[in-house]
Amino acid sequence: MIGRWSQSGARVAFAVVILLGVAWVQPPHALAQTDSTLGENPLLIADASSPRATLRSFLDLSAEAIDIWRREGATDRVYVMLTGIREVLDFAATESGVEPVEQVRRILLLREVLDRIELPPWSEIPGRAEAEAGLEVWTIPGTRLRIGRVAEGPQTGEYIFTAGSVAELPQTYRRVRQLPYRPGARPILEDWESGSQGIFARAQSQLEDRLSRLDTSSPRSTFTGFLRHANIAYRIATEAEAALTATPPTISLEEARTAEVAATAHLLRAASAFDMSRVPASERRDLRIEAALMLKEVLDRVALPLVTEIPNEPAVRRAVDASAPFVWRFPGLPIKIFRVLEGDRAGAFVFDPRTVETLPGTFDRLGDLPYNTERSVLRSDWEYGGDDAISPGFYDFYISTPGSLVPSASVIGPLVLQLPDWTKQLRGGQTIWQWIGLGLAIVVGVAAALALNGAITRIARGRAEVLRAGLLILIPLLAIGIFVAIEVFVDQTLNITRGPRSWFVAGNRVVVLALTAWLIWQLFMAVAALITNLRRRPGSGPGTGPGTGIDASLTQILCGFTAVVVAMVVVVAGLRDIGVDAVPLIAGLGVGGLAVALAIRPTLENLIGGLILHTDRPLQIGDFCTIGDMRGTIESIGVRSTRIRALDRTLISLPNSRLADMDIVNWAHCDRMLITATLGLRYETTPDQLRHLLANIRRMLHAHPKIDRETVRVRYAGPGASSRDVNLRIYALTRDWNEFHALREDVFLRIDDLVEASGVGYAFPSQTLYLTRDPAPDAERTAAAEAEVAAWREANQMPFPRLAERTMDDLEGTLDYPPRGSTAWSTDDGTVEPAPERLSADAEARKPE
């Protein structure tokens, strides 16, 4: 037996794979030239000119490489020599034949076989003469090892071990490994596997453990890999359980749990041979493990087919194209391995979904058969290499114990071991103690959730709106945590399996989904309460304070609607994960939503009307508005209707759908208030009198401090039906309703004085039959008015079409207001100003600059 690798040799081993990778794409001599320490002849490669040369080269070079390896360890020199040797082996039919580790293993297997069989004399082995004569294939006597001529490619004409011979080397080795070695030969394969190749195997095993996959390149690799990893999981789990329960224990609890993780990894790797696409996502992991255990129990009770009867990768390639369907069926059982054609596992060979669905029934029908312990030792050893060993009671061991695969390492493992035997009897696929534990878990979980709900509700009662909404979020959130913890406990600690576990998980997931929907609703309601509270704070910006009731209402509506939509999406996705078909559910929701929409159409119209009011913002709470023939102040804007406090103090409720379509006059948005009138003067009014009156009215309005001078318009509109009409349109500089009426009163009184001063009068809109002569106009006043107009004309100061800018500047503010002699004219008479009647409760905050 050779010594193990040195520390430096171990470091070199990992670099060798990269080195061999380069060798695979370069000629061997090119690789050899990269290192001057490879020996006297680093370019040495095998002579493959005839079967004799090929066999001699293989024996000589492999012996030299092995001798160097025994002396120096797994150096680069050894691997370069092995790279030259691999040129005489055809790996085309070997699974994983492109992997350097597998190629080295095949070389060593061939060496082990040749060291145990009797080779013919060299003179009887075909040489160059036979090769030149056209020899195609030569078989080593007494074996199935063949050396054949290469028909095409870079090695055309060379003789190498055929692809079939190389692919069958493991079986050939198992046939002859009981034979003694020829004189001078020594073991090499076991030393190699325990040394350098063992390091590679451990690294590869760690990688596979992370990926939880096995070789699925062919039905054979999938089938044998499933058996291998299931048996490894059984061996690790049973050995760890026995060691932990020994008296005294031979391993620690931490070591047992580490072993349990390793056993679970192997079992999951075996279970990765199943197509679980038809299994709900929430149950795939557990059902995958259970399916693996049930399939192993079935296979342990039946005769396995010959390995050669299971198609390997080359056989599959020869049979069909890589993109074509391929199915292999286990003889006599509803177990099939098929090629996946699409998805992330395209090209892999796995047990089909139908096999997964029928496994429980197959297991129930065959579970009472005895284990097949009479398998041929030779066949078992040769065909499967020991991978077809049985794992008796593995499934029952798994379903009737706590935890995963090492029950004594579970939290409740020691307690279960102390329970009476009657509690460990199976009833309905579970032990009695598991049923008791399941019932207690459900009762404790429901009781904890109800107690939590009551406690938080009491704490939240009477709190501020935002704080109460935040506290109510905790109820569904903590309840979700409780039910998730219960599911983990039932699944991973109690280890409830098959039907009971599926029903419990489905029911628990539905409860969690309902709580999640509740959580989403409470979360959005808390957001709505927070936004509303922030907008109600004084000084938080325009549109805040009591005039934003529509914002509060719409915020709640929008948050509630969003919460419902999000909750529906989450619930549908969650139901799909537990196996509920989402398509009929969505279709049902659509039909149901349509029916509900038709039933509550008026309510929806009002809701949409409220959204329109919020978008356009034609009014806000506190605004004084004219809506149709109604006038009043807006008191509230709700989801369905808007309430208006009329001038007679009655409360009018107007549906939002109607309000959105009505003409709305919002007095709160006025910057100035319009005063308009038509003055009808008598027809006896002379043009100069009319000019005199128009000029004086304009003077008065420009002089008035509460009238906007830029928009004063007093114009003679022409003769009417019974009067000479003068149109008046001016804007009062006020936003107060009471002050507006006072200003309008003052303006019209002053106009009345000016009308009288001009010697004219208002016409009556009626027809009068005069039987007497009308009194003549006041001659004195008429003459004075006409004289004044003549003076304007003489001085070129006629105020037409408008007053001169200088005149308007001189007149601005010269008129007394309030008028002299009124109670409000004096500032020290103690007059109490009337309470302002504003057009909006927030008039000053929205007053335009």
Side-chain angles (χ1 to χ4, degrees):
M1 182 67 69
I2 65 172
R4 302 295 183 187
W5 268 16
S6 64
Q7 185 176 4
S8 60
R11 289 195 300 268
V12 171
F14 288 98
V16 170
V17 174
I18 300 176
L19 195 61
L20 285 178
V22 176
W24 258 235
V25 297
Q26 299 182 21
H29 62 275
L31 177 63
Q33 290 175 339
T34 61
D35 192 341
S36 60
T37 64
L38 295 181
E40 296 180 358
N41 188 9
L43 302 180
L44 180 65
I45 59 175
D47 180 6
S49 59
S50 67
R52 181 190 304 167
T54 297
L55 184 59
R56 184 186 296 275
S57 296
F58 176 82
L59 292 174
D60 291 345
L61 291 178
S62 61
E64 183 178 357
I66 292 170
D67 184 62
I68 295 173
W69 178 73
R70 293 186 187 280
R71 295 195 317 266
E72 303 176 5
T75 62
D76 291 351
R77 183 181 179 187
V78 173
Y79 280 96
V80 170
M81 296 188 71
L82 292 177
T83 299
I85 296 172
R86 75 164 180 83
E87 297 294 334
V88 298
L89 278 77
D90 186 351
F91 297 97
T94 302
E95 294 193 46
S96 303
V98 297
E99 299 293 334
V101 172
E102 184 60 28
Q103 292 188 354
V104 172
R105 181 171 176 270
R106 298 284 168 153
I107 292 172
L108 299 180
L109 282 171
L110 180 57
R111 179 72 199 196
E112 288 276 359
V113 171
L114 296 178
D115 281 347
R116 284 178 166 87
I117 64 175
E118 188 69 28
L119 295 176
W122 291 109
S123 59
E124 298 180 5
I125 301 175
R128 187 179 300 274
E130 289 82 353
E132 292 176 351
L135 178 68
E136 293 296 332
V137 179
W138 176 73
T139 303
I140 298 178
T143 72
R144 298 182 63 181
L145 296 176
R146 296 177 296 277
I147 300 176
R149 184 199 297 267
V150 178
E152 56 184 0
Q155 290 183 268
T156 300
E158 296 183 358
Y159 289 86
I160 63 176
F161 288 92
T162 63
S165 300
V166 177
E168 295 177 0
L169 274 173
Q171 293 89 336
T172 305
Y173 168 71
R174 293 186 184 105
R175 286 179 176 179
V176 304
R177 70 177 182 177
Q178 303 300 328
L179 299 177
Y181 285 98
R182 289 188 292 105
R186 295 174 58 187
I188 179 60
L189 184 62
E190 292 182 0
D191 292 344
W192 179 270
E193 289 180 342
S194 63
S196 63
Q197 199 273 343
I199 295 176
F200 291 122
R202 286 193 295 273
Q204 184 178 3
S205 176
Q206 292 173 1
L207 179 60
E208 291 176 351
D209 287 342
R210 292 296 182 91
L211 297 176
S212 295
R213 295 284 180 91
L214 77 165
D215 183 6
T216 56
S217 58
S218 69
R220 182 185 299 179
S221 62
T222 299
F223 189 80
T224 57
F226 170 81
L227 292 175
R228 180 184 312 114
H229 291 293
N231 284 325
I232 293 174
Y234 174 75
R235 185 182 70 250
I236 295 175
T238 53
E239 290 177 357
E241 176 67 12
L244 189 61
T245 56
T247 306
T250 57
I251 61 173
S252 65
L253 181 61
E254 185 63 30
E255 290 173 331
R257 289 175 176 168
T258 301
E260 182 178 50
V261 171
T264 303
H266 280 286
L267 192 56
L268 286 173
R269 195 182 310 162
S272 67
F274 294 104
D275 183 346
M276 307 296 288
S277 58
R278 297 184 186 177
V279 177
S282 61
E283 299 189 41
R284 284 179 185 170
R285 183 184 184 278
D286 293 312
L287 287 181
R288 182 183 287 119
I289 291 178
E290 294 173 21
L293 294 174
M294 285 189 285
L295 179 59
K296 187 61 168 63
E297 290 283 347
V298 170
L299 297 178
D300 285 350
R301 288 171 164 83
V302 300
L304 300 180
L306 293 173
V307 167
T308 54
E309 295 176 354
I310 307 175
N312 60 3
E313 188 174 357
V316 172
R317 286 200 302 266
R318 289 193 300 269
V320 295
D321 184 74
S323 60
F326 187 95
V327 179
W328 175 78
R329 179 170 181 172
F330 190 98
L333 291 177
I335 298 174
K336 297 179 182 179
I337 296 177
F338 82 116
R339 190 202 329 248
V340 180
L341 298 179
E342 57 185 5
D344 58 347
R345 301 191 70 180
F349 287 87
V350 295
F351 293 98
D352 70 343
R354 182 62 181 168
T355 298
V356 178
E357 293 173 353
T358 58
L359 259 179
T362 304
F363 170 72
D364 291 339
R365 290 193 300 270
L366 303 179
D368 57 345
L369 294 179
Y371 289 101
N372 190 353
T373 58
E374 299 180 357
R375 289 172 177 164
S376 168
V377 174
L378 177 60
R379 175 181 172 184
S380 173
D381 187 41
W382 170 48
E383 294 289 347
Y384 289 93
D387 290 338
D388 60 344
I390 64 173
S391 50
F394 198 7
Y395 178 76
D396 289 340
F397 171 77
Y398 175 77
I399 67 171
S400 61
T401 54
S404 180
L405 295 178
V406 183
S408 297
S410 172
V411 175
I412 64 172
L415 175 62
V416 173
L417 292 177
Q418 304 300 322
L419 293 176
D421 291 339
W422 65 268
T423 63
K424 301 177 184 178
Q425 298 177 6
L426 286 174
R427 295 290 186 273
Q430 314 296 316
T431 60
I432 295 177
W433 71 263
Q434 286 175 316
W435 285 115
I436 296 174
L438 177 61
L440 289 176
I442 294 175
V443 171
V444 170
V446 173
L450 293 176
L452 178 70
N453 177 64
I456 296 180
T457 301
R458 286 193 298 271
I459 295 174
R461 188 178 295 119
R463 304 285 180 176
E465 183 180 4
V466 176
L467 179 58
R468 182 174 66 255
L471 289 172
L472 293 178
I473 293 175
L474 296 177
I475 298 177
L477 181 62
L478 296 178
I480 290 172
I482 291 174
F483 284 99
V484 169
I486 290 175
E487 181 176 328
V488 172
F489 175 76
V490 169
D491 185 26
Q492 299 184 11
T493 302
L494 294 180
N495 197 27
I496 304 296
T497 55
R498 291 190 70 173
R501 183 195 56 78
S502 298
W503 284 106
F504 169 78
V505 169
N508 192 73
R509 293 292 175 90
V510 170
V511 173
V512 170
L513 285 175
L515 291 172
T516 303
W518 183 14
L519 173 63
I520 293 172
W521 175 265
Q522 293 290 3
L523 182 62
F524 276 92
M525 290 301 99
V527 171
L530 180 61
I531 294 175
T532 302
N533 182 70
L534 292 176
R535 293 185 63 85
R536 283 177 179 172
R537 292 183 179 178
S540 57
T544 61
T548 58
I550 190 169
D551 293 338
S553 300
L554 265 298
T555 298
Q556 292 182 349
I557 293 173
L558 293 176
C559 287
F561 179 77
T562 306
V564 171
V565 173
V566 173
M568 288 178 61
V569 172
V570 172
V571 169
V572 170
L575 291 176
R576 183 177 57 187
D577 286 342
I578 62 177
V580 178
D581 191 357
V583 175
L585 181 62
I586 296 174
L589 289 175
V591 174
L594 179 60
V596 171
L598 292 175
I600 61 172
R601 183 181 60 82
T603 302
L604 291 177
E605 289 177 352
N606 290 325
L607 174 60
I608 295 172
L611 292 174
I612 293 174
L613 292 176
H614 173 72
T615 303
D616 291 345
R617 292 182 178 272
L619 45 80
Q620 295 183 16
I621 292 178
D623 289 356
F624 182 84
C625 299
T626 299
I627 303 173
D629 58 353
M630 297 173 290
R631 304 182 77 183
T633 302
I634 307 299
E635 282 206 348
S636 67
I637 304 174
V639 175
R640 194 195 70 85
S641 62
T642 297
R643 295 183 177 182
I644 306 169
R645 181 69 65 180
L647 294 178
D648 59 0
R649 307 307 298 165
T650 57
L651 189 62
I652 303 173
S653 182
L654 189 64
N656 289 335
S657 58
R658 286 186 54 199
L659 181 61
D661 293 332
M662 297 180 70
D663 294 333
I664 301 174
V665 179
N666 193 330
W667 297 95
H669 291 271
C670 292
D671 55 348
R672 294 163 294 184
M673 302 187 72
L674 176 65
I675 301 175
T676 183
T678 299
L679 308 177
L681 304 178
R682 295 176 59 173
Y683 265 107
E684 290 84 355
T685 304
T686 65
D688 283 345
Q689 281 182 304
L690 189 56
R691 292 186 181 96
H692 184 270
L693 178 60
L694 291 174
N696 285 334
I697 292 176
R698 291 169 186 167
R699 289 174 181 272
M700 180 271 295
L701 293 177
H702 281 286
H704 203 296
K706 300 295 287 185
I707 299 299
D708 181 22
R709 58 175 287 181
E710 300 296 332
T711 58
V712 170
R713 189 179 72 187
V714 182
R715 295 295 178 185
Y716 173 47
S722 58
S723 63
R724 295 182 183 274
D725 294 335
V726 175
N727 287 338
L728 171 71
R729 193 208 67 181
I730 56 177
Y731 286 96
L733 299 177
T734 183
R735 290 171 52 82
D736 183 86
W737 195 250
N738 282 336
E739 187 179 15
F740 166 74
H741 284 284
L743 284 172
R744 188 173 62 174
E745 176 188 81
D746 178 73
V747 168
F748 287 140
L749 288 175
R750 293 180 185 273
I751 290 175
D752 288 346
D753 291 340
L754 293 175
V755 168
E756 184 179 358
S758 297
V760 298
Y762 293 111
F764 296 97
S766 60
Q767 293 181 349
T768 305
L769 181 61
Y770 289 93
L771 300 179
T772 62
R773 186 182 297 274
D774 287 342
D778 190 322
E780 183 180 352
R781 292 181 178 178
T782 300
E786 292 175 347
E788 187 173 1
V789 171
W792 292 345
R793 184 180 291 111
E794 185 69 24
N796 296 324
Q797 293 181 354
M798 289 284 286
F800 300 99
R802 62 189 300 269
L803 291 176
E805 190 72 23
R806 184 180 62 183
T807 304
M808 288 189 291
D809 292 339
D810 294 339
L811 292 173
E812 184 175 5
T814 58
L815 193 65
D816 54 316
Y817 181 83
R820 181 182 297 275
S822 67
T823 57
W825 182 76
S826 175
T827 58
D828 57 356
D829 60 356
T831 301
V832 178
E833 293 289 337
E837 186 178 339
R838 299 186 183 278
L839 297 176
S840 172
D842 192 26
E844 295 301 322
R846 288 178 288 157
K847 183 177 181 180
E849 297 181 358

